[in-house]
Amino acid sequence: MLDPKFVGEAMSVIAAHTDIPVSVKCRIGVDNHDSYNELCDFVYKVSSLSPVKHFIIHSRKALLNGISPAENRRIPPLKYEYYFALLRDFPDLTFTINGGINCIDEVNAALKEGAHAVMVGRAAYSNPWNILGHVDTAIYGAQSIGLTRRQVLERYQIYGDSVLGRYGNNRPNVRDVVKPLLGFFYAEPGNGLWKRKADAAVQSCTTIKSFFEETLTAIPDSVLDSPVGEAPAGRQDLFTNVRKLWPAPYQTRELQDVAYA
């Protein structure tokens, strides 16, 4: 973010070598370069110098020294007002909000406030059954098909075994394919034992079928055969006062004036 000209040029090269739209994911700032105007300068320059029209905004700044990546996802304060102000100041661009949004209630709250789109990160990875299991119905209005965990895993096994080694050099391997499942039994009976079995099984199993045969004995049938339950509750008022915190509108500067490096 400290060199938006470089990012814009790099994204132009990437875009020239693909047929799909390119996007940029960024924080709202870096260390002391954390003003709203500096964020806007970055967005303005990157979008002016490249085909990028979509930015995914993690609504925290990044602290580059002294804290770990995990702490960087927690310690810098969330400033959702920066995200929503970008929608006001760059109406021709698309912005996805990210950071601190942990459940379906909070996704819907962001969309209700006007967010173009929402990215849920760690919450979906850590607890996919109870987060992603509600997305189709609660966000997109689709009818629930009532799949159980066992049925989902049966389908995943077919998919997983079909992609093993597809790209050569044993990639993806069993560990790669099952990694998204590590939170599948979050807070359920047998979860701890299943993870221990999974850790051992990825060392020896050569198929997803054999991996499940080795590990799913740890999970009770009552867990495997029940459909998704109630979605975890969240803060529906998470963005209620965000408009009162909006920074002043951005005044576009000439490209040559936008530089921090």
Side-chain angles (χ1 to χ4, degrees):
M1 290 190 72
L2 298 179
D3 193 349
K5 181 175 182 291
F6 173 80
V7 176
E9 292 171 348
M11 295 309 299
S12 291
V13 173
I14 293 171
H17 289 81
T18 182
D19 294 328
I20 61 176
V22 294
S23 60
V24 167
K25 185 173 189 287
C26 63
R27 294 283 183 123
I28 59 172
V30 178
D31 293 329
N32 292 327
H33 296 285
D34 59 355
S35 71
Y36 177 68
N37 269 1
E38 287 171 305
L39 172 61
C40 289
D41 287 344
F42 175 82
V43 169
Y44 173 63
K45 190 160 193 178
V46 172
S47 62
S48 297
L49 294 176
S50 75
V52 172
K53 301 301 178 187
H54 179 198
F55 291 81
I56 300 97
I57 305 295
H58 186 135
S59 302
R60 291 183 172 93
K61 72 175 180 179
L63 297 174
L64 299 185
N65 295 302
I67 65 173
S68 68
E71 290 171 325
N72 246 310
R73 294 191 293 268
R74 176 174 50 85
I75 292 176
L78 289 159
K79 291 190 174 182
Y80 293 127
E81 62 270 23
Y82 279 21
Y83 168 82
F84 286 102
L86 288 172
L87 274 59
R88 173 198 65 194
D89 291 332
F90 295 91
D92 295 331
L93 301 179
T94 298
F95 296 95
T96 294
I97 190 171
N98 173 240
I101 299 173
N102 296 315
C103 65
I104 297 298
D105 282 348
E106 293 167 2
V107 171
N108 278 326
L111 295 173
K112 183 178 179 180
E113 189 60 32
H116 294 158
V118 182
M119 176 182 285
V120 178
R122 293 282 161 172
Y125 177 77
S126 300
N127 188 7
W129 182 249
N130 288 313
I131 302 297
L132 300 181
H134 294 278
V135 168
D136 289 346
T137 54
I139 304 299
Y140 296 106
Q143 184 175 357
S144 173
I145 56 177
L147 291 177
T148 66
R149 282 185 174 95
R150 191 190 302 275
Q151 291 170 320
V152 170
L153 293 176
E154 287 170 350
R155 297 185 183 192
Y156 196 80
Q157 177 206 310
I158 295 170
Y159 159 76
D161 281 329
S162 74
V163 300
L164 287 176
R166 174 177 292 180
Y167 304 110
N169 296 319
N170 194 32
R171 292 294 181 180
N173 58 29
V174 170
R175 182 185 295 274
D176 298 327
V177 174
V178 302
K179 187 176 180 181
L181 299 176
L182 294 182
F184 200 58
F185 300 106
Y186 176 84
E188 295 286 2
N191 178 55
L193 177 58
W194 182 78
K195 285 188 173 181
R196 292 192 294 274
K197 283 179 171 287
D199 189 54
V202 295
Q203 309 292 331
S204 58
C205 292
T206 58
T207 65
I208 305 304
K209 184 176 186 293
S210 62
F211 172 84
F212 285 151
E213 289 172 347
E214 289 284 333
T215 61
L216 290 182
T217 55
I219 304 298
D221 288 343
S222 59
V223 174
L224 287 169
D225 294 325
S226 60
V228 66
E230 293 293 322
R235 293 183 54 190
Q236 298 184 29
D237 62 346
L238 192 60
F239 308 100
T240 300
N241 297 315
V242 72
R243 293 177 185 268
K244 296 179 181 178
L245 301 173
W246 275 8
Y250 175 58
Q251 299 297 318
T252 304
R253 293 193 280 171
E254 294 299 322
L255 284 179
Q256 60 265 28
D257 294 333
V258 181
Y260 316 125

Coordinates of all heavy atoms in Angstrom, one line a residue, residues 77-122:
P77 N -7.8 -1.5 15.4 CA -9.3 -1.3 15.5 C -9.9 -1.4 14.1 O -9.3 -1.0 13.1 CB -9.4 0.0 16.2 CG -8.1 0.7 15.9 CD -7.1 -0.3 15.9
L78 N -11.1 -1.9 14.1 CA -11.9 -1.9 12.9 C -12.5 -0.5 12.6 O -13.0 0.2 13.5 CB -13.1 -2.9 13.0 CG -12.7 -4.3 13.0 CD1 -13.8 -5.2 13.7 CD2 -12.4 -4.8 11.6
K79 N -12.4 -0.1 11.4 CA -12.9 1.2 11.0 C -13.8 1.0 9.8 O -13.5 1.3 8.6 CB -11.8 2.2 10.7 CG -11.0 2.7 11.9 CD -10.1 3.8 11.6 CE -9.4 4.3 12.8 NZ -8.5 5.5 12.6
Y80 N -15.0 0.5 10.1 CA -16.0 0.2 9.0 C -16.4 1.5 8.2 O -16.8 1.5 7.1 CB -17.2 -0.5 9.5 CG -17.0 -1.9 10.0 CD1 -17.4 -2.2 11.3 CD2 -16.3 -2.8 9.2 CE1 -17.2 -3.5 11.8 CE2 -16.1 -4.1 9.7 CZ -16.5 -4.4 11.0 OH -16.3 -5.7 11.5
E81 N -16.3 2.7 8.9 CA -16.7 3.9 8.3 C -15.8 4.2 7.1 O -16.3 4.8 6.1 CB -16.6 5.1 9.3 CG -15.2 5.4 9.9 CD -14.9 4.6 11.1 OE1 -15.5 3.5 11.4 OE2 -14.1 5.1 11.9
Y82 N -14.5 3.8 7.1 CA -13.7 3.9 5.9 C -14.3 3.2 4.7 O -14.3 3.7 3.6 CB -12.3 3.5 6.2 CG -11.4 4.4 7.0 CD1 -12.0 5.5 7.7 CD2 -10.0 4.3 6.9 CE1 -11.2 6.3 8.5 CE2 -9.2 5.2 7.6 CZ -9.8 6.2 8.4 OH -9.0 7.1 9.1
Y83 N -14.7 1.9 5.0 CA -15.2 1.1 3.9 C -16.4 1.8 3.3 O -16.5 2.0 2.0 CB -15.6 -0.3 4.4 CG -16.4 -1.0 3.4 CD1 -15.8 -1.7 2.3 CD2 -17.8 -1.0 3.4 CE1 -16.6 -2.3 1.3 CE2 -18.6 -1.7 2.5 CZ -18.0 -2.3 1.4 OH -18.7 -2.9 0.5
F84 N -17.4 2.2 4.1 CA -18.6 2.8 3.6 C -18.4 4.1 2.9 O -19.1 4.5 2.0 CB -19.7 2.8 4.6 CG -20.3 1.5 5.0 CD1 -19.9 0.8 6.1 CD2 -21.2 0.8 4.1 CE1 -20.4 -0.5 6.4 CE2 -21.7 -0.4 4.4 CZ -21.3 -1.1 5.5
A85 N -17.4 4.9 3.4 CA -17.1 6.1 2.7 C -16.5 5.9 1.3 O -16.7 6.7 0.4 CB -16.1 6.9 3.6
L86 N -15.8 4.8 1.1 CA -15.3 4.5 -0.2 C -16.4 4.3 -1.2 O -16.3 4.7 -2.3 CB -14.4 3.2 -0.1 CG -13.0 3.3 0.5 CD1 -12.4 1.9 0.7 CD2 -12.1 4.2 -0.3
L87 N -17.5 3.7 -0.7 CA -18.7 3.5 -1.6 C -19.2 4.9 -2.1 O -19.6 5.0 -3.2 CB -19.8 2.7 -0.9 CG -19.7 1.2 -1.0 CD1 -18.4 0.7 -0.3 CD2 -20.9 0.6 -0.2
R88 N -19.2 5.8 -1.2 CA -19.6 7.2 -1.5 C -18.7 7.9 -2.5 O -19.1 8.5 -3.4 CB -19.7 8.0 -0.2 CG -20.0 9.5 -0.4 CD -19.6 10.3 0.9 NE -18.2 10.2 1.2 CZ -17.6 10.6 2.3 NH1 -18.4 11.0 3.3 NH2 -16.3 10.5 2.5
D89 N -17.4 7.7 -2.2 CA -16.4 8.5 -3.0 C -15.9 7.9 -4.3 O -15.3 8.6 -5.1 CB -15.2 8.8 -2.1 CG -15.5 9.8 -1.0 OD1 -16.4 10.6 -1.1 OD2 -14.8 9.7 0.1
F90 N -16.2 6.6 -4.5 CA -15.8 5.9 -5.7 C -17.0 5.1 -6.2 O -17.0 3.9 -6.2 CB -14.6 5.0 -5.4 CG -13.3 5.7 -5.1 CD1 -13.0 5.9 -3.7 CD2 -12.4 6.1 -6.0 CE1 -11.9 6.5 -3.3 CE2 -11.3 6.8 -5.7 CZ -11.0 7.0 -4.3
P91 N -18.0 5.8 -6.7 CA -19.2 5.1 -7.1 C -19.1 4.2 -8.3 O -19.9 3.3 -8.6 CB -20.2 6.3 -7.4 CG -19.3 7.4 -7.7 CD -18.1 7.3 -6.8
D92 N -18.0 4.3 -9.1 CA -17.8 3.5 -10.2 C -17.0 2.2 -9.9 O -16.8 1.4 -10.8 CB -17.1 4.3 -11.3 CG -17.9 5.5 -11.8 OD1 -19.1 5.4 -11.8 OD2 -17.3 6.5 -12.2
L93 N -16.6 2.1 -8.7 CA -15.8 0.9 -8.3 C -16.7 0.0 -7.4 O -17.7 0.4 -6.9 CB -14.6 1.3 -7.5 CG -13.6 2.2 -8.3 CD1 -12.4 2.5 -7.4 CD2 -13.1 1.5 -9.6
T94 N -16.3 -1.3 -7.3 CA -16.9 -2.2 -6.4 C -16.1 -2.6 -5.2 O -14.8 -2.8 -5.4 CB -17.2 -3.5 -7.2 OG1 -18.1 -3.2 -8.3 CG2 -17.9 -4.6 -6.3
F95 N -16.7 -2.6 -4.0 CA -15.9 -2.8 -2.8 C -16.6 -4.0 -2.0 O -17.8 -4.0 -1.8 CB -15.8 -1.6 -2.0 CG -15.1 -0.4 -2.6 CD1 -15.8 0.5 -3.3 CD2 -13.7 -0.4 -2.5 CE1 -15.1 1.6 -3.9 CE2 -13.0 0.7 -3.1 CZ -13.7 1.7 -3.8
T96 N -15.7 -4.9 -1.6 CA -16.2 -5.9 -0.7 C -15.6 -5.7 0.7 O -14.5 -5.3 0.9 CB -15.7 -7.3 -1.1 OG1 -16.3 -7.6 -2.4 CG2 -16.0 -8.4 -0.1
I97 N -16.5 -5.8 1.7 CA -16.1 -5.5 3.1 C -15.6 -6.8 3.8 O -16.1 -7.9 3.5 CB -17.2 -4.9 3.9 CG1 -16.7 -4.4 5.3 CG2 -18.4 -5.9 4.1 CD1 -17.8 -3.5 6.0
N98 N -14.5 -6.7 4.6 CA -13.9 -7.8 5.3 C -13.4 -7.3 6.6 O -13.1 -6.2 6.8 CB -12.8 -8.4 4.4 CG -12.0 -9.5 5.1 OD1 -10.8 -9.3 5.2 ND2 -12.6 -10.5 5.5
G99 N -13.3 -8.3 7.5 CA -12.8 -8.0 8.8 C -13.8 -7.9 10.0 O -14.7 -7.1 9.9
G100 N -13.7 -8.9 10.9 CA -14.6 -8.8 12.1 C -16.0 -9.2 11.8 O -16.9 -9.1 12.7
I101 N -16.3 -9.7 10.7 CA -17.7 -10.2 10.4 C -17.7 -11.7 10.5 O -17.1 -12.4 9.7 CB -18.1 -9.7 9.0 CG1 -18.1 -8.2 8.9 CG2 -19.5 -10.2 8.6 CD1 -18.3 -7.6 7.5
N102 N -18.5 -12.2 11.5 CA -18.3 -13.6 11.9 C -19.5 -14.5 11.8 O -19.5 -15.6 12.2 CB -17.9 -13.6 13.4 CG -16.5 -12.9 13.6 OD1 -15.6 -13.2 12.8 ND2 -16.4 -12.1 14.6
C103 N -20.6 -13.9 11.3 CA -21.8 -14.8 11.2 C -22.8 -14.2 10.2 O -22.6 -13.1 9.7 CB -22.5 -14.9 12.5 SG -23.1 -13.4 13.2
I104 N -23.9 -14.9 9.9 CA -24.8 -14.5 8.9 C -25.6 -13.3 9.3 O -25.8 -12.4 8.4 CB -25.9 -15.7 8.6 CG1 -25.1 -16.9 8.1 CG2 -27.0 -15.2 7.7 CD1 -24.5 -16.7 6.8
D105 N -25.9 -13.1 10.5 CA -26.5 -11.8 11.0 C -25.7 -10.6 10.6 O -26.2 -9.6 10.2 CB -26.8 -11.9 12.5 CG -28.0 -12.7 12.9 OD1 -28.7 -13.1 12.0 OD2 -28.1 -13.0 14.1
E106 N -24.4 -10.7 10.8 CA -23.5 -9.6 10.5 C -23.3 -9.4 9.0 O -23.2 -8.3 8.6 CB -22.2 -9.8 11.3 CG -22.4 -9.7 12.8 CD -21.2 -10.2 13.6 OE1 -20.2 -10.6 13.0 OE2 -21.3 -10.3 14.8
V107 N -23.3 -10.5 8.3 CA -23.3 -10.3 6.8 C -24.5 -9.6 6.3 O -24.4 -8.6 5.6 CB -23.2 -11.7 6.1 CG1 -23.4 -11.6 4.6 CG2 -21.9 -12.4 6.4
N108 N -25.7 -10.0 6.8 CA -26.9 -9.3 6.4 C -27.0 -7.9 6.9 O -27.5 -7.0 6.2 CB -28.1 -10.1 6.9 CG -28.5 -11.2 6.0 OD1 -28.3 -11.2 4.8 ND2 -29.0 -12.3 6.6
A109 N -26.4 -7.6 8.0 CA -26.3 -6.2 8.5 C -25.5 -5.3 7.6 O -25.8 -4.2 7.3 CB -25.8 -6.2 9.9
A110 N -24.4 -5.9 7.1 CA -23.5 -5.1 6.2 C -24.2 -4.9 4.9 O -24.1 -3.8 4.3 CB -22.2 -5.9 6.0
L111 N -24.9 -5.9 4.4 CA -25.6 -5.7 3.1 C -26.7 -4.7 3.2 O -27.0 -3.9 2.3 CB -26.1 -7.1 2.6 CG -25.1 -8.1 2.3 CD1 -25.7 -9.5 2.0 CD2 -24.2 -7.7 1.1
K112 N -27.4 -4.8 4.4 CA -28.5 -3.8 4.6 C -28.0 -2.4 4.7 O -28.7 -1.5 4.2 CB -29.2 -4.2 5.9 CG -30.4 -3.3 6.2 CD -31.1 -3.7 7.5 CE -32.3 -2.8 7.9 NZ -32.9 -3.3 9.1
E113 N -26.8 -2.2 5.2 CA -26.2 -0.9 5.2 C -25.7 -0.4 3.9 O -25.4 0.8 3.7 CB -25.0 -0.9 6.2 CG -24.5 0.5 6.6 CD -25.5 1.4 7.2 OE1 -26.4 1.0 7.9 OE2 -25.4 2.7 6.9
G114 N -25.6 -1.3 2.9 CA -25.3 -0.9 1.6 C -24.0 -1.5 1.0 O -23.6 -1.1 -0.1
A115 N -23.4 -2.4 1.8 CA -22.2 -3.0 1.3 C -22.4 -3.7 0.0 O -23.5 -4.4 -0.2 CB -21.6 -4.1 2.3
H116 N -21.5 -3.6 -1.0 CA -21.6 -4.3 -2.3 C -21.5 -5.8 -2.1 O -22.2 -6.6 -2.7 CB -20.5 -3.8 -3.2 CG -20.6 -2.4 -3.6 ND1 -19.5 -1.7 -4.1 CD2 -21.6 -1.5 -3.6 CE1 -19.8 -0.5 -4.4 NE2 -21.1 -0.3 -4.1
A117 N -20.6 -6.2 -1.2 CA -20.4 -7.7 -1.0 C -19.7 -7.8 0.3 O -19.1 -6.8 0.9 CB -19.6 -8.3 -2.1
V118 N -19.7 -9.0 0.9 CA -19.1 -9.3 2.2 C -18.1 -10.5 2.0 O -18.5 -11.5 1.4 CB -20.1 -9.6 3.2 CG1 -19.5 -9.8 4.6 CG2 -21.1 -8.4 3.3
M119 N -17.0 -10.4 2.6 CA -16.0 -11.5 2.7 C -16.0 -12.0 4.1 O -15.6 -11.2 5.0 CB -14.6 -11.2 2.2 CG -13.6 -12.3 2.3 SD -11.9 -11.8 1.8 CE -12.2 -11.9 0.0
V120 N -16.3 -13.2 4.4 CA -16.2 -13.8 5.7 C -14.9 -14.7 5.7 O -14.9 -15.6 4.9 CB -17.4 -14.6 6.2 CG1 -17.2 -15.2 7.5 CG2 -18.6 -13.7 6.2
G121 N -14.0 -14.5 6.6 CA -12.7 -15.2 6.5 C -12.6 -16.3 7.5 O -13.1 -17.4 7.3
R122 N -12.0 -16.0 8.6 CA -11.6 -17.0 9.6 C -12.9 -17.7 10.2 O -12.8 -18.9 10.5 CB -10.9 -16.3 10.8 CG -9.5 -15.8 10.4 CD -8.5 -17.0 10.2 NE -7.4 -16.6 9.4 CZ -6.3 -17.3 9.3 NH1 -6.2 -18.5 9.9 NH2 -5.3 -16.9 8.5

